[in-house]
């Protein structure tokens, strides 16, 4: 049977849908409490997300390879960044420029690097809560925001110096703007152009951060078409115009990034475990979509018509592209789909706590606390340096401890030069034997290395060489220069020292006499 909103609680007197309010029944002088309660819906999830993001934000003063790129590119001038984008990483260009501004104002450091992501997830939690309130009432909205803040994958990228958290925030805000767009009479539709302009602006900004966020548009298209069938017939045209503007604005970036598609050639085909995980999320979401809530069936948009497409459509689009074009699927590329899952799980959680005896706020607080405690082993693990593939800063410390002035240094593969680019002080007095042009002047991320012959000559002139590589180097790297590095080391040098630390290995070789 339908679950009724709990009338004994301040949040319960808020309207679930526009036009369904109860202001006429409120006693005189009672406006302050409902206003505060309404504000609490987005604010409390945002505060939880902010607290979780700040908890262990330095991650033991570690920095992994993707963040190292943000670190060293963000410290370049805008002109140098622009020069680099013509050759590599154009898809992240806007994010690098934004981080350049952050570094200019606040300096560099692990906390500064990750703070934009922390704030972005706080915004995403608030916008998700506001969307949930609009769709299914205040308790569902509050629960949805809290769910988003607690999802481990969201916590992971809230503490990552990359653009994925910002894309998630943009998606959440755009979804909330879509829900408030007028679709009734012609006069109300005409008055809605500022909201549509805001929707287009937010979606375009999000697409320029990462154009895989454009998969949100077909998800929103499903929502709009369902709303149209339910009577909101004046949504389709303004939404279509907004979507066309977004696609047109992002098209140059899409074309430019396709010319750099070799950057994603390392992505592997989708694993069966990934497909099973997506299937489980969809199953849980479908169950929650059946849960009754106050006002169900009376509005053009519902948690199901918004949440299910947002969860499923981008995933399916990226999976399809991975099959038809090339492997592209990574969960971080569709991190924003967690918003759809949170909206639906929030409805389910709100229905459960409202059906139980007791105060709804106390029960929801208890459920949130239980979720936090249950996830504690995962949450603490996410805040350890070992939660990422490697740690650039620790590798630099190992180099500083192992190297002697005048030693040569090699990076295998060349991308491991990020160790020196992030912490150049650890490499003072060392000679980069393979490098012929530095990253800034060459407009690249890792610099330009010489020919195999150049590298061989430079290596044979050294008595002692420090090598920075990966702990898992099962087979020789493909490029000829990388193979030459290994061949010369094996024939003319002997290994005298080795230290491993979080995915990176520092080796010391001395020339055989």
């Amino acid at each position: 049977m339908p679950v009724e909103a709990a009338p004994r609680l301040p949040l319960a007197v808020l309207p679930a849908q526009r036009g369904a309010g109860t202001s006429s029944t409120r006693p005189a002088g009672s406006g302050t409490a409902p206003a505060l309660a309404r504000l609490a819906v987005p604010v409390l999830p945002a505060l939880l997300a902010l607290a979780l993001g700040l908890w262990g934000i330095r991650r033991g003063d570690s920095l992994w390879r993707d963040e190292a790129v943000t670190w060293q590119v963000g410290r370049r001038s805008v002109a140098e960044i622009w020069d680099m984008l013509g050759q590599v990483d154009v898809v992240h260009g806007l994010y690098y420029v934004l981080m350049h501004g952050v570094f200019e104002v606040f300096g560099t450091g692990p906390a500064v690097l990750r703070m934009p992501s922390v704030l972005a997830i706080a915004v995403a939690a608030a916008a998700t809560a506001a969307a949930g309130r609009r769709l299914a009432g205040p308790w569902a909205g509050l629960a949805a925001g809290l769910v988003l803040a607690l999802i481990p994958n969201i916590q992971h990228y809230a503490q990552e110096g990359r653009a994925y958290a910002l894309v998630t925030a943009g998606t959440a805000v755009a979804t909330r703007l879509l829900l408030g767009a007028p679709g009734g009479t012609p006069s109300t539709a005409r008055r809605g152009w500022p909201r549509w302009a805001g929707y287009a602006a937010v979606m375009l900004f999000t697409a320029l951060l990462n154009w895989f966020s454009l998969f949100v548009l077909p998800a929103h298209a499903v929502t709009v078409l369902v709303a149209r069938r339910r009577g909101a017939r004046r949504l389709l045209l303004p939404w279509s115009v907004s979507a066309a503007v977004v696609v047109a604005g992002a098209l140059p970036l899409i074309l430019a990034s396709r010319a750099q598609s070799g950057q994603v050639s390392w992505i592997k085909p989708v694993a069966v475990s990934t497909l099973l995980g997506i299937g489980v999320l969809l199953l849980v979401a479908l169950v929650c979509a059946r849960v009754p809530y106050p006002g169900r069936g009376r509005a053009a948009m519902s948690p199901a018509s918004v949440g299910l497409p947002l969860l499923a459509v981008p995933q399916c689009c990226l999976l399809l592209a991975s099959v038809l074009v090339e492997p592209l699927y990574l969960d971080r590329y569709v991190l924003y789909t967690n918003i759809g899952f949170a909206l639906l799980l929030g409805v389910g959680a709100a229905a459960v706590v409202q059906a139980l005896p007791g105060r709804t706020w106390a029960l929801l607080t208890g459920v949130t606390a239980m979720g936090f405690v249950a996830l504690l082993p995962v949450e603490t693990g996410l805040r350890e340096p070992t939660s990422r593939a490697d740690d650039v800063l620790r590798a630099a410390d190992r180099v500083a401890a192992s190297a002697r002035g005048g030693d040569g240094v090699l990076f295998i593969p060349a991308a491991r030069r990020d160790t020196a680019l992030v912490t150049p002080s650890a490499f003072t007095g060392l000679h980069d034997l393979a490098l012929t042009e530095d990253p800034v002047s060459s407009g690249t991320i890792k610099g330009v290395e010489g020919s195999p012959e150049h590298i061989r000559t430079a290596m044979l002139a050294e008595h002692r060489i420090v090598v920075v590589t990966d702990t898992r180097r099962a087979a020789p790297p493909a490029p000829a220069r990388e193979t030459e590095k290994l061949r010369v080391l094996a024939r003319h040098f002997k290994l005298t020292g080795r230290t491993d630390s979080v995915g990176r290995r520092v080796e010391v070789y001395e020339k055989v006499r």
Side-chain angles (χ1 to χ4, degrees):
M1 60 182 294
V3 179
E4 297 180 357
R8 61 187 181 279
L9 296 167
L11 281 173
V13 302
L14 298 177
Q17 304 288 339
R18 181 169 291 182
T22 57
S23 58
S24 60
T25 63
R26 294 175 187 163
S30 65
T32 303
L36 290 175
R38 185 174 179 82
L39 185 64
V41 172
V43 168
L44 292 179
L47 290 176
L48 176 62
L50 184 62
L52 290 172
L54 293 176
W55 169 34
I57 188 174
R58 297 183 65 88
R59 209 163 60 233
D61 286 324
S62 64
L63 195 76
W64 83 291
R65 64 184 66 167
D66 280 15
E67 291 181 309
V69 175
T70 303
W71 182 296
Q72 57 114 342
V73 174
R75 295 171 69 181
R76 301 182 189 183
S77 69
V78 174
E80 290 168 343
I81 294 173
W82 180 260
D83 183 48
M84 184 201 77
L85 298 180
Q87 301 187 59
V88 66
D89 251 8
V90 67
V91 70
H92 298 302
L94 177 58
Y95 178 68
Y96 290 147
V97 172
L98 291 175
M99 291 308 298
H100 168 79
V102 171
F103 291 161
E104 284 289 302
V105 175
F106 300 103
T108 55
V112 174
L113 176 71
R114 296 168 188 143
M115 185 58 70
S117 294
V118 172
L119 297 176
I121 292 302
V123 170
T128 300
R133 177 179 61 193
R134 176 84 182 193
L135 292 167
W139 290 116
L142 180 59
L146 295 173
V147 166
L148 186 74
L150 285 173
I151 292 175
N153 211 25
I154 291 292
Q155 293 191 51
H156 179 113
Y157 289 102
Q159 295 187 332
E160 187 114 312
R162 299 298 279 173
Y164 309 110
L166 280 70
V167 171
T168 302
T171 301
V173 172
T175 301
R176 178 61 187 89
L177 289 171
L178 177 66
L179 299 185
T185 66
S187 60
T188 57
R190 284 193 297 270
R191 290 198 300 270
W193 71 264
R195 183 175 288 270
W196 286 116
Y199 172 84
V202 171
M203 277 303 307
L204 179 56
F205 179 79
T206 304
L208 294 178
L209 284 171
N210 191 308
W211 65 261
F212 283 146
S213 63
L214 289 175
F215 291 141
V216 172
L217 292 179
H220 283 174
V222 173
T223 299
V224 169
L225 290 173
V226 172
R228 189 173 188 271
R229 293 191 61 182
R230 294 176 178 174
R233 298 187 176 276
R234 300 188 182 277
L235 284 176
L236 184 57
L237 179 59
W239 177 84
S240 299
V241 172
S242 300
V245 169
V246 173
V247 173
L251 188 58
L253 175 63
I254 296 172
L255 297 176
S257 64
R258 289 303 299 159
Q260 300 176 1
S261 60
Q263 286 188 260
V264 294
S265 60
W266 59 271
I267 299 178
K268 297 178 181 179
V270 181
V272 174
S273 58
T274 299
L275 295 175
L276 290 175
I278 295 172
V280 170
L281 287 179
L282 289 173
L283 181 61
V284 173
L286 285 169
V287 171
C288 292
R290 304 284 297 176
V291 173
Y293 57 88
R296 183 184 176 109
R298 296 201 300 267
M301 296 184 187
S302 67
S305 71
V306 175
L308 282 176
L310 190 53
L311 172 61
V313 172
Q315 302 263 17
C316 292
C317 288
L318 192 56
L319 287 171
L320 186 62
S322 296
V323 172
L324 298 180
V325 184
E326 62 180 320
L328 291 170
Y329 187 90
L330 293 174
D331 61 352
R332 58 180 179 257
Y333 291 165
V334 285
L335 181 68
Y336 53 81
T337 59
N338 285 290
I339 298 167
F341 181 74
L343 285 171
L344 291 163
L345 190 58
V347 171
V352 169
V353 297
Q354 287 181 280
L356 295 173
R359 294 184 177 273
T360 305
W361 68 265
L363 292 170
L364 187 57
T365 301
V367 169
T368 303
M370 289 172 59
F372 172 79
V373 172
L375 292 170
L376 198 56
V378 176
E379 292 167 331
T380 53
L382 290 175
R383 289 157 176 84
E384 294 292 331
T386 52
S387 65
R388 269 62 172 182
D390 55 12
D391 183 1
V392 174
L393 298 181
R394 276 173 172 73
D397 291 340
R398 299 297 185 271
V399 170
S402 303
R404 302 172 186 169
D407 285 351
V409 62
L410 287 174
F411 302 93
I412 306 176
R416 298 304 160 260
R417 186 169 283 104
D418 55 7
T419 312
L421 298 174
V422 171
T423 315
S425 59
F427 291 79
T428 301
L430 304 185
H431 308 300
D432 192 328
L433 303 178
L435 189 68
T436 57
E437 191 173 5
D438 68 85
V440 174
S441 61
S442 64
T444 62
I445 290 177
K446 58 188 178 184
V448 176
E449 294 194 339
S451 65
E453 293 75 17
H454 169 90
I455 294 172
R456 172 185 170 83
T457 300
M459 290 177 67
L460 292 178
E462 297 293 326
H463 171 69
R464 196 168 185 268
I465 297 177
V466 178
V467 175
V468 180
T469 185
D470 297 322
T471 54
R472 297 180 181 180
R473 197 175 69 207
R481 62 176 61 91
E482 306 293 1
T483 304
E484 184 67 9
K485 294 173 188 177
L486 295 175
R487 192 181 69 82
V488 173
L489 286 173
R491 290 187 178 185
H492 301 280
F493 291 81
K494 64 178 180 179
L495 179 67
T496 59
R498 171 184 290 169
T499 57
D500 291 348
S501 178
V502 193
R504 293 281 170 109
R505 173 171 293 166
V506 175
E507 298 174 331
V508 177
Y509 288 85
E510 294 186 4
K511 197 171 186 180
V512 177
R513 297 185 181 277

